[in-house]
Amino acid sequence: MSAYEQEFLQNITNIRGVEFETWQGWEQLMAWTKRQPWKQEFFGGDRIPARLLHPATMVAELTKYLGG
Protein backbone atom coordinates (compact mmCIF):
# COMPACT_ATOMS: atom_id res chain seq x y z
CA MET A 1 0.00 0.00 0.00
CA SER A 2 1.26 3.42 -0.82
CA ALA A 3 1.75 6.13 1.75
CA TYR A 4 -0.98 8.06 -0.07
CA GLU A 5 -3.54 5.26 0.46
CA GLN A 6 -2.58 4.98 4.13
CA GLU A 7 -2.90 8.73 4.69
CA PHE A 8 -6.12 8.94 2.66
CA LEU A 9 -7.80 6.21 4.73
CA GLN A 10 -6.52 7.66 8.00
CA ASN A 11 -8.02 11.03 7.13
CA ILE A 12 -11.37 9.59 6.09
CA THR A 13 -11.75 7.05 8.90
CA ASN A 14 -9.96 8.97 11.65
CA ILE A 15 -8.21 5.70 12.56
CA ARG A 16 -4.62 6.44 13.51
CA GLY A 17 -1.62 4.41 14.58
CA VAL A 18 -2.34 1.26 12.59
CA GLU A 19 -1.28 0.02 9.17
CA PHE A 20 -4.38 -0.97 7.25
CA GLU A 21 -2.67 -3.87 5.47
CA THR A 22 -2.22 -5.74 8.77
CA TRP A 23 -4.98 -7.89 10.25
CA GLN A 24 -5.40 -5.43 13.11
CA GLY A 25 -5.76 -2.59 10.64
CA TRP A 26 -8.08 -4.64 8.44
CA GLU A 27 -10.37 -5.36 11.40
CA GLN A 28 -10.63 -1.68 12.30
CA LEU A 29 -11.16 -0.67 8.69
CA MET A 30 -13.81 -3.37 8.19
CA ALA A 31 -15.64 -2.32 11.36
CA TRP A 32 -15.63 1.30 10.19
CA THR A 33 -16.87 0.30 6.73
CA LYS A 34 -19.72 -1.76 8.20
CA ARG A 35 -20.99 1.33 10.05
CA GLN A 36 -21.26 3.43 6.89
CA PRO A 37 -24.61 4.05 5.16
CA TRP A 38 -23.11 2.96 1.80
CA LYS A 39 -21.89 -0.45 3.06
CA GLN A 40 -24.50 -2.39 1.01
CA GLU A 41 -23.36 -0.68 -2.18
CA PHE A 42 -19.68 -1.25 -1.42
CA PHE A 43 -20.06 -4.91 -0.46
CA GLY A 44 -22.60 -5.58 -3.20
CA GLY A 45 -25.10 -7.16 -0.80
CA ASP A 46 -25.33 -8.49 2.73
CA ARG A 47 -22.30 -10.73 2.53
CA ILE A 48 -18.70 -9.58 2.48
CA PRO A 49 -17.04 -10.70 -0.78
CA ALA A 50 -14.18 -13.14 -0.21
CA ARG A 51 -11.72 -10.89 -2.04
CA LEU A 52 -12.16 -8.25 0.67
CA LEU A 53 -10.92 -10.65 3.34
CA HIS A 54 -7.38 -9.97 2.12
CA PRO A 55 -6.15 -6.74 3.75
CA ALA A 56 -4.31 -5.37 0.70
CA THR A 57 -7.35 -5.93 -1.54
CA MET A 58 -9.68 -4.34 1.00
CA VAL A 59 -7.46 -1.25 1.17
CA ALA A 60 -7.20 -0.96 -2.62
CA GLU A 61 -10.91 -1.49 -3.25
CA LEU A 62 -12.01 0.89 -0.50
CA THR A 63 -9.58 3.58 -1.61
CA LYS A 64 -10.82 3.25 -5.19
CA TYR A 65 -14.47 3.26 -4.07
CA LEU A 66 -14.02 6.38 -1.95
CA GLY A 67 -12.27 8.16 -4.78
CA GLY A 68 -8.74 8.25 -3.46
Side-chain angles (χ1 to χ4, degrees):
M1 166 176 48
S2 71
Y4 170 77
E5 289 173 320
Q6 177 75 25
E7 183 178 349
F8 176 76
L9 290 174
Q10 283 178 344
N11 289 336
I12 287 179
T13 64
N14 207 24
I15 299 171
R16 306 268 188 241
V18 66
E19 296 217 11
F20 293 114
E21 285 192 340
T22 65
W23 280 110
Q24 179 188 14
W26 178 89
E27 289 175 332
Q28 291 183 33
L29 189 57
M30 185 59 76
W32 178 84
T33 303
K34 287 179 179 179
R35 292 190 304 267
Q36 303 310 305
W38 42 261
K39 67 182 177 193
Q40 291 287 93
E41 182 181 335
F42 176 70
F43 291 132
D46 291 331
R47 300 184 73 169
I48 297 169
R51 74 182 187 285
L52 297 180
L53 297 178
H54 187 266
T57 305
M58 172 67 172
V59 166
E61 292 288 324
L62 189 57
T63 302
K64 185 170 40 175
Y65 178 79
L66 295 174

Coordinates of all heavy atoms in Angstrom, one line a residue:
M1 N 0.9 -1.2 0.0 CA 0.0 0.0 0.0 C 0.9 1.2 0.0 O 1.9 1.3 0.7 CB -0.9 0.0 1.2 CG -1.6 1.3 1.5 SD -2.7 1.3 2.9 CE -1.9 0.6 4.2
S2 N 0.5 2.2 -0.8 CA 1.3 3.4 -0.8 C 1.0 4.3 0.4 O 0.0 4.1 1.1 CB 0.9 4.2 -2.1 OG -0.4 4.7 -2.0
A3 N 1.9 5.2 0.6 CA 1.7 6.1 1.8 C 0.5 7.0 1.5 O -0.2 7.4 2.5 CB 3.0 7.0 1.9
Y4 N 0.2 7.3 0.3 CA -1.0 8.1 -0.1 C -2.3 7.3 0.4 O -3.1 7.9 1.0 CB -1.0 8.4 -1.6 CG -2.4 8.9 -2.0 CD1 -2.6 10.3 -1.8 CD2 -3.3 8.2 -2.6 CE1 -3.9 10.8 -2.1 CE2 -4.6 8.7 -3.0 CZ -4.8 10.0 -2.7 OH -6.0 10.6 -3.1
E5 N -2.4 6.0 0.1 CA -3.5 5.3 0.5 C -3.7 5.2 2.0 O -4.8 5.4 2.5 CB -3.5 3.8 -0.1 CG -3.6 3.7 -1.6 CD -3.4 2.3 -2.1 OE1 -2.5 1.7 -1.6 OE2 -4.2 1.9 -3.0
Q6 N -2.6 5.0 2.7 CA -2.6 5.0 4.1 C -3.1 6.3 4.7 O -4.0 6.3 5.5 CB -1.2 4.7 4.7 CG -1.1 4.6 6.2 CD -1.7 3.4 6.8 OE1 -1.8 2.4 6.3 NE2 -2.0 3.6 8.1
E7 N -2.5 7.4 4.2 CA -2.9 8.7 4.7 C -4.4 9.0 4.3 O -5.1 9.6 5.1 CB -2.0 9.8 4.1 CG -2.3 11.2 4.6 CD -1.3 12.2 4.1 OE1 -0.3 11.9 3.5 OE2 -1.6 13.4 4.3
F8 N -4.8 8.7 3.1 CA -6.1 8.9 2.7 C -7.1 8.2 3.6 O -8.1 8.9 4.1 CB -6.3 8.4 1.2 CG -7.7 8.6 0.7 CD1 -8.2 9.8 0.3 CD2 -8.5 7.4 0.5 CE1 -9.5 9.9 -0.2 CE2 -9.7 7.5 0.0 CZ -10.3 8.7 -0.4
L9 N -6.9 7.0 3.9 CA -7.8 6.2 4.7 C -7.8 6.7 6.2 O -8.8 6.7 6.8 CB -7.5 4.7 4.7 CG -7.9 4.1 3.3 CD1 -7.4 2.6 3.3 CD2 -9.3 4.1 3.1
Q10 N -6.6 7.1 6.7 CA -6.5 7.7 8.0 C -7.4 8.9 8.1 O -8.1 9.1 9.1 CB -5.1 8.0 8.4 CG -4.3 6.8 8.7 CD -2.8 7.1 9.1 OE1 -2.3 8.2 8.7 NE2 -2.1 6.2 9.7
N11 N -7.3 9.8 7.1 CA -8.0 11.0 7.1 C -9.5 10.8 7.0 O -10.3 11.5 7.7 CB -7.6 12.0 6.0 CG -6.2 12.5 6.3 OD1 -5.7 12.6 7.4 ND2 -5.5 12.9 5.2
I12 N -9.9 9.9 6.2 CA -11.4 9.6 6.1 C -12.0 8.9 7.3 O -13.0 9.2 7.8 CB -11.6 8.8 4.8 CG1 -11.4 9.7 3.6 CG2 -13.0 8.2 4.8 CD1 -11.6 9.0 2.3
T13 N -11.2 7.9 7.8 CA -11.8 7.0 8.9 C -11.5 7.6 10.3 O -12.1 7.2 11.3 CB -11.2 5.6 8.8 OG1 -9.7 5.7 9.0 CG2 -11.5 5.0 7.5
N14 N -10.4 8.5 10.4 CA -10.0 9.0 11.6 C -9.4 7.8 12.5 O -9.4 7.9 13.7 CB -11.1 9.7 12.4 CG -10.5 10.8 13.3 OD1 -9.4 11.2 13.1 ND2 -11.2 11.1 14.3
I15 N -8.9 6.8 11.9 CA -8.2 5.7 12.6 C -6.7 6.0 12.4 O -6.2 6.0 11.3 CB -8.6 4.3 11.9 CG1 -10.1 4.1 12.1 CG2 -7.7 3.2 12.6 CD1 -10.5 2.8 11.3
R16 N -6.0 6.1 13.5 CA -4.6 6.4 13.5 C -3.8 5.3 14.2 O -4.3 4.6 15.0 CB -4.4 7.8 14.3 CG -5.2 8.9 13.8 CD -4.5 9.7 12.7 NE -5.2 10.9 12.4 CZ -5.7 11.1 11.2 NH1 -5.5 10.3 10.2 NH2 -6.4 12.2 10.9
G17 N -2.5 5.3 13.9 CA -1.6 4.4 14.6 C -1.7 2.9 14.2 O -1.2 2.1 14.9
V18 N -2.3 2.6 13.0 CA -2.3 1.3 12.6 C -2.1 1.2 11.1 O -2.5 2.1 10.4 CB -3.7 0.6 13.0 CG1 -4.8 1.3 12.2 CG2 -3.7 -0.9 12.7
E19 N -1.4 0.2 10.6 CA -1.3 0.0 9.2 C -2.5 -0.8 8.7 O -2.7 -1.9 9.2 CB 0.0 -0.7 8.9 CG 1.2 0.2 9.3 CD 2.4 0.1 8.3 OE1 2.2 -0.5 7.2 OE2 3.4 0.6 8.6
F20 N -3.2 -0.3 7.7 CA -4.4 -1.0 7.2 C -4.1 -2.3 6.6 O -5.1 -3.1 6.4 CB -5.2 0.0 6.3 CG -5.7 1.1 7.1 CD1 -5.3 2.4 6.8 CD2 -6.7 1.0 8.1 CE1 -5.8 3.5 7.5 CE2 -7.2 2.1 8.8 CZ -6.7 3.3 8.5
E21 N -2.9 -2.6 6.1 CA -2.7 -3.9 5.5 C -2.3 -5.0 6.5 O -2.0 -6.1 6.1 CB -1.6 -3.7 4.4 CG -2.1 -3.1 3.2 CD -1.2 -3.2 2.0 OE1 0.0 -3.4 2.2 OE2 -1.7 -3.0 0.9
T22 N -2.4 -4.7 7.7 CA -2.2 -5.7 8.8 C -3.6 -6.2 9.2 O -4.6 -5.6 8.9 CB -1.5 -5.2 10.0 OG1 -2.4 -4.2 10.6 CG2 -0.2 -4.6 9.7
W23 N -3.7 -7.4 9.8 CA -5.0 -7.9 10.2 C -5.6 -7.0 11.3 O -6.8 -6.7 11.2 CB -4.9 -9.3 10.8 CG -4.8 -10.3 9.7 CD1 -3.7 -11.1 9.4 CD2 -5.9 -10.6 8.8 NE1 -4.1 -11.8 8.3 CE2 -5.3 -11.6 7.9 CE3 -7.2 -10.2 8.6 CZ2 -6.1 -12.1 6.9 CZ3 -7.9 -10.7 7.6 CH2 -7.4 -11.7 6.8
Q24 N -4.8 -6.4 12.2 CA -5.4 -5.4 13.1 C -6.0 -4.2 12.4 O -7.1 -3.8 12.7 CB -4.3 -5.0 14.1 CG -4.9 -4.0 15.1 CD -3.7 -3.4 16.0 OE1 -2.6 -3.5 15.7 NE2 -4.1 -2.7 17.0
G25 N -5.3 -3.7 11.4 CA -5.8 -2.6 10.6 C -7.0 -3.0 9.8 O -7.9 -2.2 9.7
W26 N -6.9 -4.2 9.2 CA -8.1 -4.6 8.4 C -9.3 -4.7 9.3 O -10.4 -4.3 8.9 CB -7.8 -6.0 7.8 CG -8.9 -6.6 7.1 CD1 -9.2 -6.4 5.7 CD2 -9.9 -7.4 7.6 NE1 -10.3 -7.1 5.4 CE2 -10.8 -7.7 6.5 CE3 -10.3 -8.0 8.8 CZ2 -11.9 -8.5 6.6 CZ3 -11.4 -8.8 8.9 CH2 -12.2 -9.0 7.9
E27 N -9.2 -5.2 10.5 CA -10.4 -5.4 11.4 C -11.0 -4.0 11.7 O -12.2 -3.8 11.7 CB -10.0 -6.1 12.7 CG -9.7 -7.6 12.5 CD -9.2 -8.2 13.8 OE1 -8.6 -7.6 14.6 OE2 -9.5 -9.4 13.9
Q28 N -10.1 -3.0 12.0 CA -10.6 -1.7 12.3 C -11.3 -1.0 11.1 O -12.3 -0.4 11.2 CB -9.5 -0.8 12.8 CG -9.0 -1.2 14.2 CD -8.0 -0.3 14.8 OE1 -8.0 0.9 14.5 NE2 -7.1 -0.9 15.5
L29 N -10.6 -1.2 9.9 CA -11.2 -0.7 8.7 C -12.5 -1.3 8.3 O -13.4 -0.7 7.9 CB -10.1 -0.8 7.6 CG -10.4 -0.2 6.2 CD1 -10.6 1.3 6.4 CD2 -9.3 -0.4 5.3
M30 N -12.6 -2.6 8.5 CA -13.8 -3.4 8.2 C -14.9 -2.9 9.1 O -16.1 -2.7 8.7 CB -13.6 -4.9 8.3 CG -14.8 -5.7 7.9 SD -15.3 -5.4 6.2 CE -14.1 -6.4 5.3
A31 N -14.6 -2.8 10.4 CA -15.6 -2.3 11.4 C -16.1 -0.9 11.0 O -17.3 -0.7 11.0 CB -15.1 -2.3 12.8
W32 N -15.2 0.0 10.6 CA -15.6 1.3 10.2 C -16.5 1.2 9.0 O -17.6 1.9 8.9 CB -14.4 2.1 9.9 CG -14.7 3.5 9.4 CD1 -15.0 4.6 10.2 CD2 -14.8 4.0 8.1 NE1 -15.2 5.7 9.4 CE2 -15.1 5.3 8.1 CE3 -14.6 3.3 6.9 CZ2 -15.3 6.1 6.9 CZ3 -14.8 4.1 5.7 CH2 -15.1 5.4 5.8
T33 N -16.1 0.4 8.0 CA -16.9 0.3 6.7 C -18.3 -0.2 7.0 O -19.2 0.2 6.4 CB -16.1 -0.6 5.7 OG1 -14.8 -0.1 5.5 CG2 -16.8 -0.7 4.4
K34 N -18.4 -1.2 7.9 CA -19.7 -1.8 8.2 C -20.7 -0.8 8.9 O -21.9 -0.9 8.8 CB -19.6 -3.0 9.1 CG -19.0 -4.2 8.4 CD -18.9 -5.3 9.4 CE -18.3 -6.6 8.8 NZ -18.2 -7.6 9.8
R35 N -20.1 0.3 9.4 CA -21.0 1.3 10.1 C -21.5 2.4 9.1 O -22.3 3.3 9.4 CB -20.2 2.0 11.2 CG -20.0 1.1 12.4 CD -19.4 1.9 13.6 NE -18.2 2.7 13.3 CZ -17.0 2.2 13.5 NH1 -16.8 1.0 13.9 NH2 -16.0 3.0 13.2
Q36 N -20.9 2.4 7.9 CA -21.3 3.4 6.9 C -22.6 3.2 6.2 O -22.9 2.0 5.9 CB -20.1 3.5 5.9 CG -18.8 3.8 6.5 CD -18.8 5.0 7.5 OE1 -19.2 6.1 7.2 NE2 -18.3 4.7 8.7
P37 N -23.3 4.2 5.8 CA -24.6 4.1 5.2 C -24.5 3.4 3.8 O -25.4 2.9 3.3 CB -25.2 5.5 5.1 CG -24.0 6.4 5.3 CD -23.0 5.6 6.1
W38 N -23.3 3.5 3.1 CA -23.1 3.0 1.8 C -22.5 1.5 1.8 O -22.1 1.0 0.8 CB -22.2 3.9 1.0 CG -21.0 4.4 1.8 CD1 -21.0 5.6 2.4 CD2 -19.8 3.8 2.1 NE1 -19.7 5.8 3.0 CE2 -19.0 4.6 2.8 CE3 -19.3 2.5 1.8 CZ2 -17.7 4.3 3.3 CZ3 -18.0 2.2 2.2 CH2 -17.2 3.1 3.0
K39 N -22.5 0.9 3.0 CA -21.9 -0.4 3.1 C -22.5 -1.5 2.1 O -21.8 -2.3 1.5 CB -21.9 -1.0 4.5 CG -23.3 -1.3 5.0 CD -23.3 -1.7 6.4 CE -24.8 -2.0 6.8 NZ -24.9 -2.1 8.2
Q40 N -23.8 -1.4 1.9 CA -24.5 -2.4 1.0 C -24.0 -2.2 -0.4 O -23.7 -3.2 -1.1 CB -26.0 -2.2 1.0 CG -26.7 -2.6 2.3 CD -26.7 -4.1 2.5 OE1 -25.8 -4.7 3.1 NE2 -27.8 -4.7 2.0
E41 N -23.9 -1.0 -0.8 CA -23.4 -0.7 -2.2 C -21.9 -1.1 -2.3 O -21.5 -1.7 -3.3 CB -23.5 0.8 -2.5 CG -23.0 1.2 -3.9 CD -23.1 2.7 -4.1 OE1 -23.9 3.4 -3.4 OE2 -22.4 3.2 -5.0
F42 N -21.1 -0.9 -1.3 CA -19.7 -1.2 -1.4 C -19.5 -2.8 -1.4 O -18.8 -3.3 -2.2 CB -18.9 -0.6 -0.2 CG -17.4 -1.1 -0.2 CD1 -16.6 -0.6 -1.2 CD2 -17.0 -1.9 0.7 CE1 -15.2 -1.0 -1.2 CE2 -15.7 -2.3 0.8 CZ -14.8 -1.9 -0.2
F43 N -20.2 -3.5 -0.5 CA -20.1 -4.9 -0.5 C -20.8 -5.6 -1.6 O -20.6 -6.8 -1.9 CB -20.5 -5.4 0.9 CG -19.6 -5.0 2.0 CD1 -20.2 -4.5 3.2 CD2 -18.3 -5.2 2.0 CE1 -19.3 -4.1 4.3 CE2 -17.4 -4.8 3.0 CZ -18.0 -4.3 4.2
G44 N -21.8 -5.0 -2.1 CA -22.6 -5.6 -3.2 C -23.7 -6.5 -2.7 O -24.2 -7.4 -3.4
G45 N -24.1 -6.3 -1.4 CA -25.1 -7.2 -0.8 C -24.8 -7.3 0.7 O -24.1 -6.5 1.3
D46 N -25.5 -8.3 1.3 CA -25.3 -8.5 2.7 C -24.0 -9.2 3.1 O -23.5 -9.0 4.2 CB -26.5 -9.3 3.3 CG -27.8 -8.6 3.2 OD1 -27.8 -7.3 3.3 OD2 -28.8 -9.2 3.1
R47 N -23.5 -10.0 2.2 CA -22.3 -10.7 2.5 C -21.0 -10.0 2.1 O -21.1 -9.3 1.1 CB -22.4 -12.1 1.8 CG -23.6 -12.9 2.3 CD -23.6 -14.2 1.7 NE -22.5 -15.0 2.4 CZ -22.3 -16.3 2.3 NH1 -23.1 -17.0 1.5 NH2 -21.4 -16.9 2.9
I48 N -20.0 -10.2 2.8 CA -18.7 -9.6 2.5 C -18.0 -10.5 1.4 O -17.9 -11.7 1.6 CB -17.8 -9.5 3.7 CG1 -18.4 -8.6 4.8 CG2 -16.4 -9.0 3.3 CD1 -17.7 -8.6 6.1
P49 N -17.7 -9.9 0.3 CA -17.0 -10.7 -0.8 C -15.7 -11.3 -0.3 O -15.0 -10.6 0.4 CB -16.8 -9.7 -1.9 CG -17.8 -8.6 -1.7 CD -18.0 -8.5 -0.2
A50 N -15.4 -12.5 -0.7 CA -14.2 -13.1 -0.2 C -12.9 -12.3 -0.5 O -12.0 -12.3 0.2 CB -14.1 -14.5 -0.8
R51 N -12.9 -11.6 -1.7 CA -11.7 -10.9 -2.0 C -11.4 -9.8 -1.0 O -10.2 -9.4 -0.9 CB -11.9 -10.3 -3.4 CG -12.8 -9.1 -3.5 CD -12.9 -8.6 -5.0 NE -13.7 -7.4 -5.0 CZ -15.0 -7.3 -4.9 NH1 -15.7 -8.3 -4.7 NH2 -15.6 -6.1 -4.9
L52 N -12.4 -9.3 -0.3 CA -12.2 -8.2 0.7 C -11.6 -8.8 2.0 O -11.3 -8.0 2.9 CB -13.4 -7.4 0.9 CG -14.0 -6.7 -0.3 CD1 -15.2 -5.9 0.0 CD2 -12.9 -5.8 -0.9
L53 N -11.5 -10.1 2.1 CA -10.9 -10.6 3.3 C -9.4 -10.6 3.3 O -8.8 -10.8 4.3 CB -11.4 -12.1 3.5 CG -12.9 -12.3 3.7 CD1 -13.2 -13.7 3.8 CD2 -13.4 -11.5 4.9
H54 N -8.8 -10.2 2.2 CA -7.4 -10.0 2.1 C -7.1 -8.5 2.4 O -7.7 -7.6 1.7 CB -6.9 -10.4 0.7 CG -5.4 -10.4 0.6 ND1 -4.7 -9.3 0.1 CD2 -4.5 -11.3 0.9 CE1 -3.4 -9.5 0.1 NE2 -3.3 -10.7 0.6
P55 N -6.3 -8.2 3.4 CA -6.2 -6.7 3.7 C -5.7 -5.8 2.6 O -6.3 -4.7 2.5 CB -5.1 -6.8 4.8 CG -5.3 -8.1 5.5 CD -5.6 -9.0 4.3
A56 N -4.8 -6.2 1.8 CA -4.3 -5.4 0.7 C -5.4 -5.1 -0.3 O -5.6 -4.0 -0.8 CB -3.1 -6.0 0.0
T57 N -6.2 -6.1 -0.6 CA -7.3 -5.9 -1.5 C -8.4 -5.0 -0.9 O -9.0 -4.1 -1.6 CB -8.0 -7.3 -1.9 OG1 -6.9 -8.1 -2.4 CG2 -9.0 -7.1 -3.0
M58 N -8.7 -5.2 0.3 CA -9.7 -4.3 1.0 C -9.2 -2.9 0.9 O -10.0 -2.0 0.6 CB -9.8 -4.8 2.5 CG -10.7 -3.9 3.3 SD -12.4 -3.8 2.8 CE -13.1 -2.9 4.2
V59 N -8.0 -2.6 1.2 CA -7.5 -1.3 1.2 C -7.6 -0.7 -0.2 O -8.1 0.4 -0.4 CB -6.0 -1.2 1.7 CG1 -5.3 0.1 1.3 CG2 -5.9 -1.5 3.1
A60 N -7.2 -1.4 -1.2 CA -7.2 -1.0 -2.6 C -8.6 -0.7 -3.1 O -8.9 0.3 -3.7 CB -6.5 -2.0 -3.5
E61 N -9.5 -1.6 -2.8 CA -10.9 -1.5 -3.2 C -11.6 -0.3 -2.5 O -12.4 0.4 -3.2 CB -11.7 -2.8 -3.0 CG -11.3 -3.9 -3.9 CD -11.7 -3.8 -5.3 OE1 -12.8 -3.3 -5.6 OE2 -10.9 -4.2 -6.2
L62 N -11.4 -0.2 -1.2 CA -12.0 0.9 -0.5 C -11.5 2.2 -0.9 O -12.2 3.2 -1.1 CB -11.8 0.7 1.0 CG -12.6 1.6 1.9 CD1 -14.1 1.6 1.6 CD2 -12.4 1.3 3.4
T63 N -10.2 2.3 -1.1 CA -9.6 3.6 -1.6 C -10.2 4.0 -3.0 O -10.5 5.1 -3.2 CB -8.0 3.4 -1.7 OG1 -7.5 3.1 -0.4 CG2 -7.4 4.7 -2.2
K64 N -10.3 3.0 -3.9 CA -10.8 3.2 -5.2 C -12.3 3.7 -5.1 O -12.7 4.6 -5.7 CB -10.7 2.0 -6.0 CG -11.1 2.2 -7.5 CD -10.8 1.0 -8.4 CE -11.0 -0.3 -7.8 NZ -10.8 -1.4 -8.7
Y65 N -13.0 3.0 -4.2 CA -14.5 3.3 -4.1 C -14.7 4.7 -3.5 O -15.6 5.4 -4.0 CB -15.1 2.2 -3.1 CG -16.6 2.5 -2.9 CD1 -17.5 2.1 -3.8 CD2 -17.0 3.1 -1.7 CE1 -18.9 2.4 -3.6 CE2 -18.3 3.4 -1.5 CZ -19.3 3.0 -2.4 OH -20.6 3.3 -2.2
L66 N -13.9 5.1 -2.6 CA -14.0 6.4 -1.9 C -13.4 7.5 -2.8 O -13.5 8.7 -2.4 CB -13.4 6.4 -0.5 CG -14.1 5.4 0.4 CD1 -13.4 5.4 1.8 CD2 -15.6 5.9 0.7
G67 N -12.8 7.1 -3.9 CA -12.3 8.2 -4.8 C -10.9 8.6 -4.5 O -10.5 9.7 -5.0
G68 N -10.1 7.8 -3.8 CA -8.7 8.2 -3.5 C -7.7 7.9 -4.5 O -7.8 7.2 -5.4

